[in-house]
Amino acid sequence: MIKKALLLLGLFITLYHANAQELEEIDKTTPNEILDNQLYGSAIDIDGNYAVIGSSGYDNNRGRAFVLHYNGSEWEKVAILTASNGMSSDYFNHARISEDVIVIGARNSNAETINSGSAYVFVKPATGWEDMTETAILRPSDPVYDDWFGYKVDILNNTIVVGASHASSSGSVYIYEKPTNGWENMTETIKLLPSDGEEGDRFGSAVYI
């Protein structure tokens, strides 16, 4: 029996036939809003029939993300996500999706301290995904210039993990748990550091939960 799994590869959404070890392109997604140098596909993730795709080069590297839905025959753009306080060179783009929540990192965001970075949480409205800004902004409790907080993010159910690969010399990872009343502007539940960290380790340059 052929096992099929949907994968995102570069700018393409493909269908993988595990037994045959071959890739078949089933759709190419390029929304009409995409212009040159917007780096569409700089980050990609998928959950069920929804995908989120980052575009870090948009508006002089301010960044934005597209939400796509697979309607049974093709992928269609349903929403564009942006940061309410976005500025050029924020690099808002590293996006992950889990059910009805999307988290997007912006490693150069100055929402808290100039260029320390931020992570933005988007919760799908009851009427479905639409063009919108964030539901909440996640920040570290100890922001420092050029931490790269939000360079990598991930989410699973009610937990978000954010990497800050330039923080604390060796790098840091921050864990956030959803409050009882829903996601809100907040600092971390806990901060993780390596016991043997050294300058330049870049701990947090990749995260997964």
Side-chain angles (χ1 to χ4, degrees):
M1 180 177 180
I2 296 177
K3 178 181 178 182
K4 295 180 178 179
L6 284 174
L7 297 176
L8 289 173
L9 179 59
L11 305 185
F12 301 97
I13 297 174
T14 62
L15 189 67
Y16 176 68
H17 299 273
N19 289 350
Q21 294 293 303
E22 63 183 34
L23 291 171
E24 174 190 349
E25 178 188 325
I26 61 170
D27 198 7
K28 178 179 179 179
T29 65
T30 309
N32 295 331
E33 296 88 347
I34 293 298
L35 302 175
D36 290 343
N37 301 318
Q38 291 196 12
L39 301 180
Y40 178 72
S42 55
I44 48 182
D45 197 23
I46 186 170
D47 188 8
N49 290 330
Y50 284 94
V52 58
I53 301 180
S55 178
S56 64
Y58 169 72
D59 192 18
N60 196 26
N61 300 321
R62 175 179 178 174
R64 61 180 173 176
F66 292 79
V67 181
L68 279 63
H69 176 252
Y70 186 67
N71 61 19
S73 59
E74 63 181 1
W75 289 89
E76 57 182 354
K77 185 207 74 178
V78 293
I80 298 177
L81 308 181
T82 54
S84 62
N85 55 4
M87 299 178 66
S88 63
S89 298
D90 276 358
Y91 294 100
F92 171 96
N93 84 107
H94 195 265
R96 291 292 181 263
I97 181 171
S98 178
E99 297 182 347
D100 293 338
V101 181
I102 291 173
V103 58
I104 302 176
R107 65 172 173 81
N108 250 16
S109 167
N110 63 359
E112 180 68 23
T113 300
I114 300 281
N115 299 113
S116 65
S118 304
Y120 297 80
V121 181
F122 298 81
V123 178
K124 185 170 78 172
T127 54
W129 285 111
E130 59 189 33
D131 292 355
M132 59 188 290
T133 56
E134 74 281 347
T135 304
I137 301 177
L138 308 182
R139 302 184 177 106
S141 58
D142 54 353
V144 176
Y145 174 78
D146 204 28
D147 272 356
W148 280 35
F149 175 90
Y151 175 61
K152 298 295 182 183
V153 299
D154 201 16
I155 179 173
L156 180 64
N157 300 326
N158 297 324
T159 304
I160 289 173
V161 58
V162 180
S165 60
H166 288 52
S168 303
S169 259
S170 62
S172 306
V173 170
Y174 297 79
I175 307 294
Y176 297 79
E177 294 178 318
K178 186 175 79 171
T180 303
N181 296 325
W183 288 107
E184 59 189 36
N185 292 358
M186 59 186 292
T187 56
E188 74 277 359
T189 305
I190 192 168
K191 175 182 176 181
L192 306 180
L193 291 166
S195 61
D196 56 352
E198 297 181 357
E199 185 172 357
D201 278 356
R202 300 294 184 256
F203 179 80
S205 58
V207 295
Y208 179 76
I209 185 170

